[in-house]
Amino acid sequence: MSDAAQPTAAEVRAAAEAVKAALDRHLEAVERRSGDDDPAVYEAFNALAAAAEAYDERLYDRYDEVTPFEIPGADDSLPPYAGPEEPHALSVLIRRDYAVAEPKRLLAQAQRIADLESDEEGADGTPAVGVSTHAALGVLFGEYEPDEIASRHKEFGLEEGDSTLWVSAAEELPEPGEWLNAPFEQADPERIVCRFDVSAVFDDELDDDLEEQDA
């Protein structure tokens, strides 16, 4: 960065003072919080993150120095909670991605399930589901709960990808069948009570951090 574009020492000092003030406001909001989802705490958190990021940038631009703070990016944090203070209903949205890593294993497992069901029902013929991946997936996910498939995915010839779980708050349950045509259309980030993400990218970032520490 050119000298002309660098922040002045006074600007760096002002950014540091802004961080101190944001720390005080965040602590005050936490001490006065009205509940686990107090929007004032979210706002103070976001303000503190913004102030710390601004200070970190000015400090680096002026003195080529960094802080020990890790500032979450916009994609890593949720917007301020704007749902009901006391939720009376919840929507749990889950996405799990899988790759069909071993098609033969998947087909064999599906055929085994079909054979067992055929024996139990006393059918004369056995459904030939072990020849179509499409049919095999229908049998597998029709037989087992998603959590069981997640815990036994290798057994079914699947390989895990990213997954996410959103717990979203609502005033009341929707009417039966109301959202079945578009189940994820009404997902509102501002009503998320909590969110849990699993991804190999987090493992890669951890490995990179460890390599940097060892260097």
Side-chain angles (χ1 to χ4, degrees):
M1 178 176 288
S2 66
D3 291 340
Q6 287 182 350
T8 65
E11 289 174 333
V12 178
R13 174 63 61 180
E17 294 299 326
V19 173
K20 297 175 186 177
L23 276 169
D24 289 338
R25 289 194 295 270
H26 181 261
L27 178 58
E28 182 178 352
V30 171
E31 290 174 337
R32 296 182 177 180
R33 72 190 313 162
S34 59
D36 292 339
D37 301 311
D38 190 336
V41 176
Y42 282 97
E43 292 173 4
F45 173 89
N46 291 331
L48 175 57
E53 184 174 15
Y55 170 62
D56 189 87
E57 290 177 354
R58 286 167 174 74
L59 185 71
Y60 181 79
D61 290 343
R62 177 69 184 182
Y63 300 110
D64 196 24
E65 188 57 72
V66 296
T67 68
F69 308 136
E70 182 178 353
I71 308 302
D75 294 337
D76 301 323
S77 58
L78 295 172
Y81 178 74
E85 184 173 343
E86 296 293 338
H88 296 290
L90 297 174
S91 293
V92 180
L93 308 180
I94 301 175
R95 172 173 174 170
R96 295 190 178 110
D97 289 352
Y98 297 97
V100 181
E102 299 181 70
K104 291 183 179 179
R105 180 182 291 273
L106 171 64
L107 296 173
Q109 289 285 10
Q111 187 62 59
R112 181 184 62 81
I113 295 169
D115 291 343
L116 290 174
E117 291 181 348
S118 177
D119 291 342
E120 291 175 359
E121 294 173 0
D124 295 333
T126 301
V129 299
V131 296
S132 165
T133 300
H134 186 278
L137 290 170
V139 170
L140 178 65
F141 283 87
E143 177 70 15
Y144 298 107
E145 293 290 333
D147 287 343
E148 185 168 3
I149 293 176
S151 65
R152 301 172 58 185
H153 63 277
K154 292 184 178 179
E155 179 183 337
F156 302 129
L158 303 176
E159 180 180 309
E160 283 185 313
D162 289 355
S163 67
T164 187
L165 183 151
W166 295 13
V167 179
S168 182
E171 298 284 1
E172 57 186 17
L173 283 177
E175 293 295 325
E178 180 178 331
W179 49 257
L180 291 180
N181 290 332
F184 304 109
E185 190 176 62
Q186 298 178 353
D188 185 352
E190 292 189 351
R191 285 179 171 261
I192 295 175
V193 177
C194 53
R195 172 177 175 172
F196 304 96
D197 299 321
V198 177
S199 174
V201 71
F202 300 142
D203 297 333
D204 294 339
E205 291 175 355
L206 178 60
D207 291 340
D208 292 341
D209 292 341
L210 292 175
E211 289 176 2
E212 291 177 359
Q213 293 175 7
D214 294 338

